[in-house]
């Protein structure tokens, strides 16, 4: 069974940084994509970033590409999202998703999420 567990969320002041971790088990890490999403109250889920663990390719949403960095440690089956220069509008629940399609397919597996709150 594939399982994903996010951690690293918390409360931070605007301008600060957090690093989120997505720990995966039950899958061949190098064959998959891992994507990060977020969802704020009353808003649609937003795709933020994706990494192809096989070759390290990455993509970013325009809203975060100059502030967030995705990386992976294939030996530990972990993917990280380094978030810098955080803004109050970054406040949301952050999720990771594993699969073949950066979280866009019906077979992608999701974690339970971790709350990020950015105070002004």
């Amino acid at each position: 069974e594939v399982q994903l567990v996010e951690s690293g969320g918390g409360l931070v002041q605007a301008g600060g940084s957090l690093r989120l971790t997505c720990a995966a088990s039950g899958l061949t890490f190098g064959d998959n994509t891992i994507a990060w999403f977020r969802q704020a109250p009353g808003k649609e889920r937003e795709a933020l970033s994706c990494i192809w663990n096989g070759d390290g390719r990455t993509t970013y949403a325009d809203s975060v590409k100059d502030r967030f960095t995705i990386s992976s440690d294939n030996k530990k089956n972990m993917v990280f999202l380094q978030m810098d220069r955080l803004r109050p509008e970054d406040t949301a629940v952050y999720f990771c998703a594993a699969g073949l399609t950066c979280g866009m397919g019906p077979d992608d597996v999701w974690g339970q999420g971790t709350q990020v709150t950015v105070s002004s």
Side-chain angles (χ1 to χ4, degrees):
E1 179 184 6
V2 177
Q3 289 190 328
L4 302 177
V5 178
E6 302 96 336
S7 62
L11 174 64
V12 64
Q13 287 188 331
S17 298
L18 284 174
R19 189 174 86 151
L20 304 184
T21 299
C22 175
S25 61
L27 77 165
T28 303
F29 207 63
D31 293 342
N32 285 271
T33 65
I34 303 286
W36 284 99
F37 290 75
R38 68 186 177 190
Q39 188 163 21
K43 294 188 177 181
E44 293 186 356
R45 187 173 61 194
E46 179 185 10
L48 301 177
S49 184
C50 185
I51 186 166
W52 280 256
N53 291 316
D55 62 12
R57 282 181 296 142
T58 59
T59 61
Y60 294 93
D62 287 343
S63 60
V64 303
K65 66 181 178 180
D66 295 326
R67 300 183 297 122
F68 292 7
T69 304
I70 193 170
S71 62
S72 67
D73 184 334
N74 287 3
K75 292 183 179 179
K76 295 182 178 180
N77 276 18
M78 291 181 175
V79 169
F80 310 99
L81 187 68
Q82 176 67 38
M83 307 188 296
D84 298 318
R85 301 195 306 278
L86 284 162
R87 305 166 180 167
E89 54 264 40
D90 294 319
T91 295
V93 178
Y94 285 68
F95 301 89
C96 61
L100 300 179
T101 57
C102 289
M104 297 301 181
D107 295 329
D108 285 65
V109 177
W110 292 77
Q112 82 290 345
T114 186
Q115 175 71 45
V116 171
T117 303
V118 184
S119 63
S120 58

